[in-house]
Amino acid sequence: MANERDQATIEISSAGNGGGSDTVSFTHRLLASENFMLLFREGMSLVEATAAYLDGEGRADSRCLARPVALAYASESMRLTTRLMQLTSWLLLQRAVNEGELSREEAEREHRRVVIAPLESRTDDATFVALPESLRSLIQRSNSLHARIQRFDRDLKSEPEPALSDNPVASQLGMLAAAFQRR
């Protein structure tokens, strides 16, 4: 079974051009597609929903909580907003590339500064369940978005430069093409 890395990028030999190697990056393709815009809109919608909740209904919800749950509420809402800021930065960077505001090379330099931190929570399960349902739902939605973006981010940061020597089949096909061209 192929791993995530194999699913993100495959190398194709093109015997017609002398056995050269072309890399097809599914991650880059996806990020340049309409599917990315769906992901982008989902992220921006989540930011708006979180801001509306924390500035409105969330304030009232937090006042009614017992002290340990209120502390967890404050911690989790800070983690949530930090996570959403990281995800928003990442999404805006990808959109800038799609809209031609940044080249892929410029984006890669900027991309190194955008850190998608691992998910973390020190809130135990019993306290988490005591948090308001609206906050828990926003956290779960952000965790789902985070997991998807983290996969893309990992693929973007780990894509190797294509090299002919990395693909023994491509080099063999190149040698066969050269041999038949001599005849």
Side-chain angles (χ1 to χ4, degrees):
M1 178 175 199
N3 65 30
E4 284 182 358
R5 181 76 205 103
D6 294 333
Q7 293 171 359
T9 305
I10 61 171
E11 203 156 292
I12 301 172
S13 170
S14 17
N17 66 9
S21 165
D22 297 322
T23 297
V24 177
S25 168
F26 293 115
T27 301
H28 285 273
R29 287 238 182 201
L30 179 87
L31 293 176
S33 73
E34 182 58 32
N35 287 329
F36 169 76
M37 287 312 296
L38 294 172
L39 182 71
F40 181 85
R41 285 191 288 275
E42 177 185 347
M44 295 304 114
S45 172
L46 183 55
V47 167
E48 289 175 13
T50 300
Y53 173 75
L54 293 175
D55 287 340
E57 181 186 335
R59 287 180 191 240
D61 287 349
S62 67
R63 290 187 192 115
C64 303
L65 300 172
R67 183 160 169 65
V69 179
L71 288 172
Y73 178 95
S75 296
E76 289 298 330
S77 62
M78 285 177 33
R79 282 187 194 98
L80 174 62
T81 55
T82 300
R83 181 179 317 116
L84 289 175
M85 286 183 352
Q86 292 170 348
L87 298 178
T88 300
S89 295
W90 190 91
L91 288 166
L92 288 169
L93 182 61
Q94 300 311 315
R95 187 182 72 170
V97 171
N98 290 348
E99 293 182 355
E101 296 170 13
L102 288 176
S103 70
R104 178 54 62 192
E105 293 76 29
E106 292 169 324
E108 287 173 6
R109 281 192 297 276
E110 291 295 320
H111 189 243
R112 289 184 191 102
R113 291 190 257 178
V114 177
V115 177
I116 305 297
L119 288 174
E120 91 172 43
S121 175
R122 293 185 185 98
T123 303
D124 61 79
D125 292 341
T127 305
F128 187 81
V129 171
L131 292 171
E133 172 59 34
S134 296
L135 180 63
R136 288 192 325 245
S137 174
L138 291 167
I139 291 169
Q140 290 164 343
R141 288 173 55 198
S142 76
N143 289 348
S144 173
L145 182 65
H146 179 275
R148 287 181 281 157
I149 288 177
Q150 194 171 42
R151 277 193 306 271
F152 293 136
D153 186 61
R154 191 172 41 245
D155 288 342
L156 287 173
K157 288 181 177 175
S158 68
E159 284 185 358
E161 291 298 316
L164 183 60
S165 63
D166 290 346
N167 187 337
V169 174
S171 93
Q172 292 296 317
L173 287 173
M175 289 178 0
L176 283 170
F180 283 110
Q181 286 175 352
R182 279 186 256 159
R183 291 189 178 242

PDB file of all heavy atoms in Angstrom, residues 73-91:
ATOM      1  N   TYR A  73     -12.104  26.837  29.507  1.00  0.00           N
ATOM      2  CA  TYR A  73     -12.718  27.629  28.440  1.00  0.00           C
ATOM      3  C   TYR A  73     -11.712  28.664  27.928  1.00  0.00           C
ATOM      4  O   TYR A  73     -11.509  28.809  26.717  1.00  0.00           O
ATOM      5  CB  TYR A  73     -13.985  28.318  28.944  1.00  0.00           C
ATOM      6  CG  TYR A  73     -14.658  29.191  27.920  1.00  0.00           C
ATOM      7  CD1 TYR A  73     -15.707  28.709  27.145  1.00  0.00           C
ATOM      8  CD2 TYR A  73     -14.230  30.505  27.700  1.00  0.00           C
ATOM      9  CE1 TYR A  73     -16.319  29.508  26.188  1.00  0.00           C
ATOM     10  CE2 TYR A  73     -14.831  31.306  26.748  1.00  0.00           C
ATOM     11  CZ  TYR A  73     -15.870  30.802  25.994  1.00  0.00           C
ATOM     12  OH  TYR A  73     -16.462  31.587  25.049  1.00  0.00           O
ATOM     13  N   ALA A  74     -11.070  29.382  28.851  1.00  0.00           N
ATOM     14  CA  ALA A  74     -10.105  30.411  28.460  1.00  0.00           C
ATOM     15  C   ALA A  74      -8.924  29.786  27.708  1.00  0.00           C
ATOM     16  O   ALA A  74      -8.509  30.303  26.660  1.00  0.00           O
ATOM     17  CB  ALA A  74      -9.619  31.164  29.700  1.00  0.00           C
ATOM     18  N   SER A  75      -8.413  28.689  28.216  1.00  0.00           N
ATOM     19  CA  SER A  75      -7.273  28.023  27.570  1.00  0.00           C
ATOM     20  C   SER A  75      -7.640  27.499  26.186  1.00  0.00           C
ATOM     21  O   SER A  75      -6.908  27.704  25.214  1.00  0.00           O
ATOM     22  CB  SER A  75      -6.781  26.852  28.420  1.00  0.00           C
ATOM     23  OG  SER A  75      -6.280  27.312  29.639  1.00  0.00           O
ATOM     24  N   GLU A  76      -8.761  26.814  26.111  1.00  0.00           N
ATOM     25  CA  GLU A  76      -9.178  26.233  24.828  1.00  0.00           C
ATOM     26  C   GLU A  76      -9.521  27.309  23.805  1.00  0.00           C
ATOM     27  O   GLU A  76      -9.230  27.156  22.617  1.00  0.00           O
ATOM     28  CB  GLU A  76     -10.347  25.270  25.019  1.00  0.00           C
ATOM     29  CG  GLU A  76      -9.971  23.983  25.720  1.00  0.00           C
ATOM     30  CD  GLU A  76      -8.950  23.141  24.967  1.00  0.00           C
ATOM     31  OE1 GLU A  76      -8.896  23.183  23.719  1.00  0.00           O
ATOM     32  OE2 GLU A  76      -8.174  22.436  25.646  1.00  0.00           O
ATOM     33  N   SER A  77     -10.123  28.407  24.239  1.00  0.00           N
ATOM     34  CA  SER A  77     -10.454  29.475  23.279  1.00  0.00           C
ATOM     35  C   SER A  77      -9.175  30.146  22.779  1.00  0.00           C
ATOM     36  O   SER A  77      -9.089  30.524  21.603  1.00  0.00           O
ATOM     37  CB  SER A  77     -11.430  30.484  23.876  1.00  0.00           C
ATOM     38  OG  SER A  77     -10.873  31.136  24.992  1.00  0.00           O
ATOM     39  N   MET A  78      -8.151  30.262  23.643  1.00  0.00           N
ATOM     40  CA  MET A  78      -6.865  30.815  23.184  1.00  0.00           C
ATOM     41  C   MET A  78      -6.189  29.859  22.203  1.00  0.00           C
ATOM     42  O   MET A  78      -5.644  30.296  21.178  1.00  0.00           O
ATOM     43  CB  MET A  78      -5.947  31.099  24.375  1.00  0.00           C
ATOM     44  CG  MET A  78      -6.376  32.337  25.133  1.00  0.00           C
ATOM     45  SD  MET A  78      -5.415  32.732  26.598  1.00  0.00           S
ATOM     46  CE  MET A  78      -3.790  32.222  26.252  1.00  0.00           C
ATOM     47  N   ARG A  79      -6.213  28.566  22.494  1.00  0.00           N
ATOM     48  CA  ARG A  79      -5.640  27.581  21.562  1.00  0.00           C
ATOM     49  C   ARG A  79      -6.380  27.619  20.228  1.00  0.00           C
ATOM     50  O   ARG A  79      -5.768  27.523  19.161  1.00  0.00           O
ATOM     51  CB  ARG A  79      -5.716  26.172  22.155  1.00  0.00           C
ATOM     52  CG  ARG A  79      -4.673  25.884  23.187  1.00  0.00           C
ATOM     53  CD  ARG A  79      -4.698  24.406  23.608  1.00  0.00           C
ATOM     54  NE  ARG A  79      -3.922  24.222  24.805  1.00  0.00           N
ATOM     55  CZ  ARG A  79      -4.419  24.163  26.035  1.00  0.00           C
ATOM     56  NH1 ARG A  79      -5.711  24.217  26.240  1.00  0.00           N
ATOM     57  NH2 ARG A  79      -3.621  24.019  27.058  1.00  0.00           N
ATOM     58  N   LEU A  80      -7.688  27.724  20.308  1.00  0.00           N
ATOM     59  CA  LEU A  80      -8.519  27.772  19.100  1.00  0.00           C
ATOM     60  C   LEU A  80      -8.156  28.979  18.246  1.00  0.00           C
ATOM     61  O   LEU A  80      -7.947  28.848  17.033  1.00  0.00           O
ATOM     62  CB  LEU A  80     -10.001  27.792  19.484  1.00  0.00           C
ATOM     63  CG  LEU A  80     -11.012  27.981  18.363  1.00  0.00           C
ATOM     64  CD1 LEU A  80     -10.928  26.841  17.352  1.00  0.00           C
ATOM     65  CD2 LEU A  80     -12.420  28.084  18.946  1.00  0.00           C
ATOM     66  N   THR A  81      -8.077  30.159  18.848  1.00  0.00           N
ATOM     67  CA  THR A  81      -7.774  31.362  18.056  1.00  0.00           C
ATOM     68  C   THR A  81      -6.346  31.312  17.499  1.00  0.00           C
ATOM     69  O   THR A  81      -6.118  31.709  16.359  1.00  0.00           O
ATOM     70  CB  THR A  81      -7.998  32.646  18.873  1.00  0.00           C
ATOM     71  OG1 THR A  81      -7.242  32.587  20.079  1.00  0.00           O
ATOM     72  CG2 THR A  81      -9.474  32.836  19.197  1.00  0.00           C
ATOM     73  N   THR A  82      -5.400  30.784  18.270  1.00  0.00           N
ATOM     74  CA  THR A  82      -4.024  30.646  17.775  1.00  0.00           C
ATOM     75  C   THR A  82      -3.980  29.696  16.591  1.00  0.00           C
ATOM     76  O   THR A  82      -3.348  29.971  15.561  1.00  0.00           O
ATOM     77  CB  THR A  82      -3.093  30.156  18.901  1.00  0.00           C
ATOM     78  OG1 THR A  82      -3.125  31.099  19.965  1.00  0.00           O
ATOM     79  CG2 THR A  82      -1.669  29.969  18.406  1.00  0.00           C
ATOM     80  N   ARG A  83      -4.652  28.558  16.726  1.00  0.00           N
ATOM     81  CA  ARG A  83      -4.699  27.568  15.638  1.00  0.00           C
ATOM     82  C   ARG A  83      -5.310  28.190  14.392  1.00  0.00           C
ATOM     83  O   ARG A  83      -4.786  28.033  13.276  1.00  0.00           O
ATOM     84  CB  ARG A  83      -5.517  26.352  16.077  1.00  0.00           C
ATOM     85  CG  ARG A  83      -5.616  25.246  15.043  1.00  0.00           C
ATOM     86  CD  ARG A  83      -6.419  24.048  15.538  1.00  0.00           C
ATOM     87  NE  ARG A  83      -6.090  23.695  16.912  1.00  0.00           N
ATOM     88  CZ  ARG A  83      -6.960  23.761  17.938  1.00  0.00           C
ATOM     89  NH1 ARG A  83      -8.200  24.111  17.752  1.00  0.00           N
ATOM     90  NH2 ARG A  83      -6.563  23.436  19.157  1.00  0.00           N
ATOM     91  N   LEU A  84      -6.398  28.919  14.555  1.00  0.00           N
ATOM     92  CA  LEU A  84      -7.059  29.527  13.395  1.00  0.00           C
ATOM     93  C   LEU A  84      -6.184  30.601  12.752  1.00  0.00           C
ATOM     94  O   LEU A  84      -6.201  30.752  11.523  1.00  0.00           O
ATOM     95  CB  LEU A  84      -8.426  30.086  13.785  1.00  0.00           C
ATOM     96  CG  LEU A  84      -9.484  29.020  14.080  1.00  0.00           C
ATOM     97  CD1 LEU A  84     -10.772  29.669  14.570  1.00  0.00           C
ATOM     98  CD2 LEU A  84      -9.751  28.147  12.866  1.00  0.00           C
ATOM     99  N   MET A  85      -5.408  31.324  13.542  1.00  0.00           N
ATOM    100  CA  MET A  85      -4.490  32.318  12.955  1.00  0.00           C
ATOM    101  C   MET A  85      -3.431  31.618  12.108  1.00  0.00           C
ATOM    102  O   MET A  85      -3.099  32.080  11.009  1.00  0.00           O
ATOM    103  CB  MET A  85      -3.834  33.163  14.046  1.00  0.00           C
ATOM    104  CG  MET A  85      -4.782  34.166  14.664  1.00  0.00           C
ATOM    105  SD  MET A  85      -4.109  35.286  15.920  1.00  0.00           S
ATOM    106  CE  MET A  85      -2.492  34.741  16.269  1.00  0.00           C
ATOM    107  N   GLN A  86      -2.895  30.492  12.596  1.00  0.00           N
ATOM    108  CA  GLN A  86      -1.903  29.741  11.822  1.00  0.00           C
ATOM    109  C   GLN A  86      -2.508  29.217  10.524  1.00  0.00           C
ATOM    110  O   GLN A  86      -1.907  29.340   9.450  1.00  0.00           O
ATOM    111  CB  GLN A  86      -1.370  28.563  12.637  1.00  0.00           C
ATOM    112  CG  GLN A  86      -0.545  28.945  13.830  1.00  0.00           C
ATOM    113  CD  GLN A  86      -0.266  27.750  14.729  1.00  0.00           C
ATOM    114  OE1 GLN A  86      -0.865  26.685  14.596  1.00  0.00           O
ATOM    115  NE2 GLN A  86       0.655  27.928  15.664  1.00  0.00           N
ATOM    116  N   LEU A  87      -3.696  28.635  10.630  1.00  0.00           N
ATOM    117  CA  LEU A  87      -4.351  28.073   9.449  1.00  0.00           C
ATOM    118  C   LEU A  87      -4.707  29.167   8.444  1.00  0.00           C
ATOM    119  O   LEU A  87      -4.549  28.984   7.236  1.00  0.00           O
ATOM    120  CB  LEU A  87      -5.589  27.277   9.850  1.00  0.00           C
ATOM    121  CG  LEU A  87      -5.340  26.068  10.757  1.00  0.00           C
ATOM    122  CD1 LEU A  87      -6.659  25.395  11.131  1.00  0.00           C
ATOM    123  CD2 LEU A  87      -4.379  25.084  10.132  1.00  0.00           C
ATOM    124  N   THR A  88      -5.164  30.310   8.939  1.00  0.00           N
ATOM    125  CA  THR A  88      -5.511  31.429   8.062  1.00  0.00           C
ATOM    126  C   THR A  88      -4.278  31.932   7.325  1.00  0.00           C
ATOM    127  O   THR A  88      -4.333  32.206   6.120  1.00  0.00           O
ATOM    128  CB  THR A  88      -6.163  32.561   8.862  1.00  0.00           C
ATOM    129  OG1 THR A  88      -7.350  32.060   9.490  1.00  0.00           O
ATOM    130  CG2 THR A  88      -6.521  33.742   7.980  1.00  0.00           C
ATOM    131  N   SER A  89      -3.152  32.053   8.037  1.00  0.00           N
ATOM    132  CA  SER A  89      -1.901  32.485   7.387  1.00  0.00           C
ATOM    133  C   SER A  89      -1.536  31.528   6.262  1.00  0.00           C
ATOM    134  O   SER A  89      -1.160  31.952   5.165  1.00  0.00           O
ATOM    135  CB  SER A  89      -0.764  32.540   8.402  1.00  0.00           C
ATOM    136  OG  SER A  89      -1.007  33.523   9.360  1.00  0.00           O
ATOM    137  N   TRP A  90      -1.648  30.244   6.528  1.00  0.00           N
ATOM    138  CA  TRP A  90      -1.314  29.234   5.528  1.00  0.00           C
ATOM    139  C   TRP A  90      -2.248  29.334   4.324  1.00  0.00           C
ATOM    140  O   TRP A  90      -1.802  29.317   3.178  1.00  0.00           O
ATOM    141  CB  TRP A  90      -1.394  27.847   6.162  1.00  0.00           C
ATOM    142  CG  TRP A  90      -0.840  26.759   5.311  1.00  0.00           C
ATOM    143  CD1 TRP A  90       0.430  26.296   5.296  1.00  0.00           C
ATOM    144  CD2 TRP A  90      -1.553  25.990   4.332  1.00  0.00           C
ATOM    145  NE1 TRP A  90       0.554  25.286   4.372  1.00  0.00           N
ATOM    146  CE2 TRP A  90      -0.641  25.076   3.774  1.00  0.00           C
ATOM    147  CE3 TRP A  90      -2.867  25.986   3.885  1.00  0.00           C
ATOM    148  CZ2 TRP A  90      -1.015  24.174   2.781  1.00  0.00           C
ATOM    149  CZ3 TRP A  90      -3.225  25.089   2.890  1.00  0.00           C
ATOM    150  CH2 TRP A  90      -2.302  24.199   2.351  1.00  0.00           C
ATOM    151  N   LEU A  91      -3.545  29.446   4.588  1.00  0.00           N
ATOM    152  CA  LEU A  91      -4.528  29.545   3.504  1.00  0.00           C
ATOM    153  C   LEU A  91      -4.312  30.809   2.669  1.00  0.00           C
ATOM    154  O   LEU A  91      -4.389  30.764   1.435  1.00  0.00           O
ATOM    155  CB  LEU A  91      -5.949  29.524   4.074  1.00  0.00           C
ATOM    156  CG  LEU A  91      -6.427  28.179   4.622  1.00  0.00           C
ATOM    157  CD1 LEU A  91      -7.692  28.357   5.465  1.00  0.00           C
ATOM    158  CD2 LEU A  91      -6.656  27.188   3.502  1.00  0.00           C
TER     159      LEU A  91
END
